[in-house]
Amino acid sequence: MAEREHYLFWKLTNYFVIELDYRLVHIDREEKEVWLETVGHKKVDVIRILVEDIDWANWLKRDIIQTGVRAEGIRKHLMKRELNVLNIYVTEHTPVDDYEFVIQHPYDAENGRAHIQTVLIAKETLDDTICRMNEMLNSHFQIQTVDIYDPAITYELRQSAIQKTKRRQREERELFEYGKPFFTYLFIVVQVLMFLIVESSGGSTNIETLIKYGAKYNPLILAGEWWRFFTPIFLHIGLLHLLMNTLALYYLGMAVEKIFGRFRFLWIYLFSGFTGSVASFVFTNNLSAGASGAIFGCFGALLYMGVVNPRLFFRTIGVNVIAVIIINLIFGFTVPGIDNAGHIGGLIGGFLATGIVHFPGKRKWGLQFVSLLAAASAVYFMLNWGYHNDRPDTENARAQGQIENGEYGAAYETLLGLVSEGKGDADSYFKLAYTEAQLQKYEDAKKHFNRAIELEPDFHEAHFNLALIYYEQGDIEEAKKHASRAEEISDQEKYRDFFKKIE
């Protein structure tokens, strides 16, 4: 291959890398072929340049087909619906046979989503081809032909393109290694310690113990215990829950803390945990705990990276991150007992929290302000909805306070009005039945305990209280049935002791 063709090869590569900000993603060992992708160009996503002596149109056709196969692989990797590729051949002369029909129209890969436009730069076609290429790229590439091409100039063009590529690669590596993890380890230690404390104080699956140590429990949040938006982040229900979230925190937390730095990670993690708890407070009445909302916030932080720098994101971690999020959400929607509202709330919170602080050493004030406004508005709206909407939790909390003060008659009136309007949930019926039992309205109590079980089959407290009523009424078989069911759902000492007593 003549020096002229090598010069043209590197002149083109240098222009695309330096002037049009394409990224050199592949160069073969013989330095005859390069692939470049854009970070912002609209018309052409990928450019492939090959320097080769092309003698026959059939060879050209086969190579274009092979280029289409590779382009389709790139399209799938980048998760793009369409991919436009400019395929440039640098050759001394045009093929000896009729070749124009091969490159006259764009070639579409097998599924029609990768589009290959081909140009051929040869002595006979140089000016026309450069003009056509500039139209495709909306560029202004120019070249002056000379009789003698200096290898030193070609080498300088090569070095310039490669050095910029190396600088960009170094900057990308530094992006993933900005901070050294600290808070990831701290949060792991804290949640393991809290698990051991809760286990030693009554068990991590014991409802009363979880409430005591700060689980998300709507009636107490409505009663003023706002800190329950934060404390559930560090509690876990059972060993498997702890192990899964600790493993997820280790890998995700490490990645996010390395990318965004320690204090940005601290903000993202805690804000995500808070928004996850708020979403759970608004959309679910069940008691909940766990770091899942904060962990999904780490996913949100990585998705923010994908929005701001999609090329780097999809070239590195993007496909895996999106796949894991989708799998987790599907799992959450199909498996009962998972707080999907908390997961989604944490995901959105993590995205917005990252938008507020952006990347270390960089500023996008407009985007940061929009993220701050969106986060503040979302939190205000959700809290206002959660505290003031027409939901049974509010009346349940009011009745709970009356019960704790021994005002069973007032609690009875509060709850009877709620269920009469058709607004009661399982907890409403349970509390109503409890007050009726205290007021010796046993038949009504049994009816409403059973209604609570209909709405929430695993309501072990309702089963236990039914067992107590049946035992007092002398119906030992029914008492055994409900006591056994309570023990089966929640292996608590008081359930075991009562069942042994009536056997």
Side-chain angles (χ1 to χ4, degrees):
M1 185 66 64
E3 185 62 37
R4 169 186 173 277
E5 281 66 53
H6 283 296
Y7 170 80
L8 284 172
F9 175 82
W10 284 111
K11 180 73 173 178
L12 287 164
T13 303
N14 183 274
Y15 177 77
F16 295 139
V17 170
I18 303 298
E19 300 297 329
L20 298 188
D21 205 29
Y22 276 77
R23 181 180 183 274
L24 199 162
V25 293
H26 171 77
I27 179 170
D28 70 339
R29 290 185 178 182
E30 298 178 356
E31 297 190 355
K32 295 174 59 178
E33 180 185 25
V34 295
W35 285 76
L36 308 106
E37 67 177 25
T38 182
V39 294
H41 204 277
K42 301 297 184 183
K43 298 181 69 175
V44 176
D45 302 297
V46 172
I47 296 175
R48 181 248 191 168
I49 310 173
L50 176 68
V51 56
E52 182 74 39
D53 282 329
I54 303 173
D55 296 325
W56 303 99
N58 278 340
W59 182 94
L60 185 63
K61 184 177 181 179
R62 288 194 302 271
D63 190 72
I64 291 172
I65 293 172
Q66 186 60 35
T67 301
V69 173
R70 294 180 65 179
E72 175 60 17
I74 294 171
R75 185 196 67 79
K76 289 179 179 178
H77 180 72
L78 296 177
M79 297 182 70
K80 290 180 67 71
R81 293 188 62 184
E82 305 260 339
L83 188 78
N84 293 312
V85 179
L86 176 57
N87 184 32
I88 303 174
Y89 294 99
V90 179
T91 182
E92 185 174 5
H93 297 288
T94 57
V96 296
D97 56 351
D98 182 19
Y99 73 93
E100 286 86 353
F101 75 96
V102 177
I103 64 174
Q104 186 175 8
H105 302 289
Y107 169 76
D108 290 341
E110 186 174 349
N111 65 5
R113 294 184 179 179
H115 313 290
I116 317 298
Q117 296 186 86
T118 298
V119 296
L120 193 147
I121 299 178
K123 288 181 178 180
E124 300 87 348
T125 65
L126 180 62
D127 293 337
D128 289 341
T129 302
I130 296 299
C131 182
R132 183 184 170 202
M133 185 186 72
N134 282 332
E135 288 179 1
M136 292 179 185
L137 295 167
N138 192 26
S139 61
H140 305 283
F141 179 77
Q142 294 180 343
I143 191 166
Q144 293 181 343
T145 58
V146 295
D147 294 331
I148 300 176
Y149 292 87
D150 187 351
I153 297 176
T154 302
Y155 181 77
E156 289 178 6
L157 292 170
R158 173 190 179 278
Q159 288 300 102
S160 176
I162 290 178
Q163 288 303 317
K164 180 168 183 180
T165 299
K166 288 181 176 179
R167 285 196 304 271
R168 180 175 285 165
Q169 290 172 342
R170 184 170 60 251
E171 291 170 0
E172 290 175 355
R173 285 196 302 270
E174 290 171 354
L175 177 64
F176 286 97
E177 298 293 337
Y178 174 80
K180 293 183 178 180
F182 169 76
F183 286 111
T184 299
Y185 297 123
L186 178 63
F187 287 141
I188 288 174
V189 171
V190 169
Q191 66 188 36
V192 170
L193 286 176
M194 285 304 303
F195 179 80
L196 295 175
I197 291 170
V198 172
E199 277 291 310
S200 64
S201 301
S204 64
T205 58
N206 183 283
I207 303 298
E208 290 79 6
T209 306
L210 287 167
I211 292 173
K212 174 184 175 182
Y213 280 94
K216 190 229 79 176
Y217 185 54
N218 287 6
L220 292 181
I221 292 176
L222 289 165
E225 296 186 7
W226 56 266
W227 56 86
R228 290 181 183 272
F229 290 126
F230 294 95
T231 49
I233 303 171
F234 307 103
L235 299 175
H236 289 85
I237 304 173
L239 181 61
L240 180 61
H241 191 207
L242 173 72
L243 291 175
M244 290 178 64
N245 277 353
T246 300
L247 188 64
L249 173 56
Y250 178 78
Y251 286 106
L252 279 172
M254 292 274 281
V256 173
E257 195 166 2
K258 284 181 178 181
I259 293 171
F260 294 97
R262 291 179 178 178
F263 291 103
R264 280 179 172 80
F265 169 73
L266 177 65
W267 154 252
I268 292 166
Y269 191 81
L270 293 179
F271 185 78
S272 303
F274 167 70
T275 56
S277 296
V278 169
S280 177
F281 166 63
V282 172
F283 293 108
T284 67
N285 295 325
N286 298 334
L287 177 144
S288 64
S292 301
I295 289 168
F296 266 80
C298 294
F299 280 125
L302 297 176
L303 285 181
Y304 177 84
M305 175 187 172
V307 171
V308 174
N309 196 339
R311 292 287 178 179
L312 177 61
F313 178 72
F314 284 109
R315 195 171 58 248
T316 52
I317 59 175
V319 175
N320 292 333
V321 168
I322 291 175
V324 172
I325 292 174
I326 292 173
I327 290 170
N328 275 275
L329 290 177
I330 292 174
F331 186 75
F333 279 115
T334 54
V335 177
I338 293 179
D339 190 355
N340 234 23
H343 293 177
I344 296 172
L347 181 71
I348 296 171
F351 184 89
L352 294 176
T354 311
I356 292 170
V357 296
H358 199 57
F359 288 93
K362 298 179 180 180
R363 295 290 180 268
K364 279 197 174 183
W365 295 115
L367 182 58
Q368 289 176 257
F369 176 75
V370 170
S371 298
L372 177 62
L373 185 63
S377 300
V379 169
Y380 174 80
F381 172 76
M382 295 293 282
L383 288 175
N384 188 62
W385 185 10
Y387 276 104
H388 298 105
N389 75 333
D390 188 16
R391 57 189 291 175
D393 286 4
T394 306
E395 292 299 289
N396 289 348
R398 178 184 170 198
Q400 180 66 33
Q402 293 168 335
I403 290 170
E404 289 174 358
N405 292 328
E407 301 170 0
Y408 298 115
Y412 173 76
E413 294 298 331
T414 298
L415 293 163
L416 187 62
L418 180 65
V419 300
S420 297
E421 295 174 5
K423 298 177 181 178
D425 60 5
D427 193 44
S428 307
Y429 282 99
F430 173 80
K431 286 181 169 58
L432 175 60
Y434 180 81
T435 61
E436 288 168 336
Q438 298 302 315
L439 296 171
Q440 298 183 354
K441 299 176 183 288
Y442 295 118
E443 294 307 312
D444 289 338
K446 287 194 292 185
K447 181 177 71 174
H448 290 131
F449 277 132
N450 277 306
R451 178 58 179 155
I453 292 169
E454 287 177 16
L455 294 173
E456 191 176 321
D458 290 340
F459 206 148
H460 51 87
E461 295 98 328
H463 282 289
F464 179 66
N465 279 271
L466 266 175
L468 291 174
I469 293 176
Y470 281 118
Y471 179 73
E472 290 297 325
Q473 293 182 333
D475 192 341
I476 304 301
E477 290 304 314
E478 283 296 311
K480 284 182 179 180
K481 183 178 77 172
H482 286 286
S484 173
R485 181 61 179 146
E487 183 184 1
E488 180 185 331
I489 296 169
S490 180
D491 185 22
Q492 295 187 35
E493 185 177 355
K494 66 178 181 179
Y495 297 165
R496 294 195 300 272
D497 291 344
F498 180 73
F499 188 73
K500 289 177 182 177
K501 174 182 174 182
I502 63 177
E503 269 192 317

